[in-house]
Amino acid sequence: MNTIVDQDACLHSRCADASIASSTNSVSEGCRACGMTLRHVLVDLGTTPLCESYLSAEQLAVTEPVYPLTVFVCENCLLAQVPEYVNGEAIFSHYAYFSSYSESYLDHARRNTESLIKRFRITPLSWVVELASNDGYLLRNFVERGIPCLGVEPAANIAQVAQRNGVPTLDKFFGEQTARDLVAQGRRADLLLANNVLAHVPDLNDFVRGMKLLLAADGVAVIEVQHLLRLIEGNQFDTIYHEHFCYFTLLAFERVLASHGLTIFDVDEISTHGGSLRFYVKHRENSRLAIHANVSQVADYERRAGLYELAGYRGFAEKTAEVKRRLLDFLINARRAGHSVAGYGAPGKGNTLLNYCGIGRDLLSYTVDRNPYKQGKFLPGSRIPIFAPQRISETRPDFVLILPWNLKDEIAGQLAYVREWGGRLVTPIPELQVW
């Protein structure tokens, strides 16, 4: 199907191909930014389990809960979003993703820290707060420089790791009430960081209200989000999962911020997660920080791509289906030819890809991951086993499918040894590549 379709056509009726649909009712809760009823579907990925709900061996005998995975585009404010089929607290109170297991992401955080300290003159007299601070991967750079900071992290298991590593961390969900509690202690953030968290927020307005409260009058909020424009251009449908409630353009996010008295004064295009935006945000009344030309330039990119109109979102569902067909063709032909295929990584995006494509152990024997938390478990839905990375050298597969394709350069270096037995690497996104 080459058009955005009405939600009436396909919310609960699921078919093998997302272009086939039947009638049902509109999503009742409406857009999480403006409240408009959601009717326009960007892509329907069927029904899947939560992408970070890794299974123990004992859980294999139990039926997993699955939920619709459908992205809607609001016809009023153009915010792309997944309805909240699962409560955010059920997802994020205990979580399997640890940022520190990616060397390239640690380097990204270090360089970001150095840039922010220099640009905004952050000193030991400042206070830095990061929302969804994970295991302290970024804030530890401020700790090392003697700059007071606080992480706010809802996942108790991850917050404990950050605390053990010397990063002050508050184990709470962030929103207006948490912000009020922090402000009541007499401080506001000179630098407020929110990297790759906005997508994870079911109550978007509550979160942004909290940011408005916590940010000092002349403070700066720096927010990183995956860019929906790059997601669409790069066929990055695997970055869609229930844990990601929203998918942002500059236009959509600018509208959310404006409704709470906040303004984007600068924006960087960065390479993380297949193409992201780093927003620099101030209070609307802060005249000290001028609006940079980058803001209008990114807006122009989005306008030329058609993302200021619903028509610009058409065709993505068919592109997604074609990625699926090509990956399945490759895996089926490889196995028929007697070749072995293993995976590298157990990221959330990999689980969306595997479940949407219907890939199981018959096509992908196993995967590996550096995160000990995931080793010995099984991927949700596909139930593919997860091993430590040395499993690849032990079994010498003919092909290794890199599931976290956004880290393919880093991973290709780690897997250089597969060439010793003639092994080859495979990435599925933005299109199938074998090298």
Side-chain angles (χ1 to χ4, degrees), residues 1-15:
M1 182 175 289
N2 293 320
T3 60
I4 293 183
V5 295
D6 279 355
Q7 186 273 346
D8 289 348
C10 67
L11 175 58
H12 296 299
S13 178
R14 298 295 183 231
C15 305

Side-chain angles (χ1 to χ4, degrees), residues 191-214:
L191 180 63
L192 183 59
L193 305 173
N195 295 331
N196 303 299
V197 59
L198 264 294
H200 295 263
V201 176
D203 191 341
L204 186 59
N205 286 307
D206 177 67
F207 194 94
V208 177
R209 280 195 300 270
M211 294 181 65
K212 172 72 174 177
L213 282 169
L214 188 57

Side-chain angles (χ1 to χ4, degrees), residues 144-301:
E144 290 170 358
R145 291 164 174 78
I147 296 172
C149 62
L150 175 70
V152 182
E153 171 54 52
N157 61 316
I158 296 177
Q160 289 168 5
V161 171
Q163 291 162 352
R164 286 199 300 267
N165 291 335
V167 177
T169 304
L170 176 66
D171 178 17
K172 274 192 175 183
F173 282 86
F174 183 77
E176 182 177 4
Q177 186 56 56
T178 300
R180 289 190 183 281
D181 293 343
L182 290 171
V183 170
Q185 298 173 20
R187 297 192 75 175
R188 284 184 164 87
D190 302 292
L191 180 63
L192 183 59
L193 305 173
N195 295 331
N196 303 299
V197 59
L198 264 294
H200 295 263
V201 176
D203 191 341
L204 186 59
N205 286 307
D206 177 67
F207 194 94
V208 177
R209 280 195 300 270
M211 294 181 65
K212 172 72 174 177
L213 282 169
L214 188 57
L215 185 64
D218 59 351
V220 173
V222 182
I223 303 160
E224 291 184 14
V225 300
Q226 184 186 22
H227 195 184
L228 180 60
L229 172 62
R230 302 306 176 199
L231 186 156
I232 292 173
E233 289 181 340
N235 298 332
Q236 299 167 8
F237 68 89
D238 59 339
T239 59
I240 295 168
Y241 25 90
H242 301 99
E243 290 87 338
H244 280 180
F245 297 105
C246 295
Y247 304 83
F248 292 97
T249 58
L250 181 148
L251 173 67
F253 190 46
E254 199 168 40
R255 288 173 170 174
V256 173
L257 291 173
S259 68
H260 297 285
L262 296 169
T263 299
I264 297 169
F265 69 89
D266 198 3
V267 58
D268 293 333
E269 295 183 273
I270 56 179
S271 62
T272 55
H273 302 290
S276 297
L277 296 176
R278 179 184 292 150
F279 296 115
Y280 300 86
V281 175
K282 64 174 184 174
H283 290 287
R284 180 187 296 142
E285 57 272 20
N286 181 354
S287 60
R288 183 178 63 86
L289 296 168
I291 307 295
H292 288 242
N294 291 350
V295 178
S296 60
Q297 288 173 359
V298 173
D300 286 343
Y301 298 156

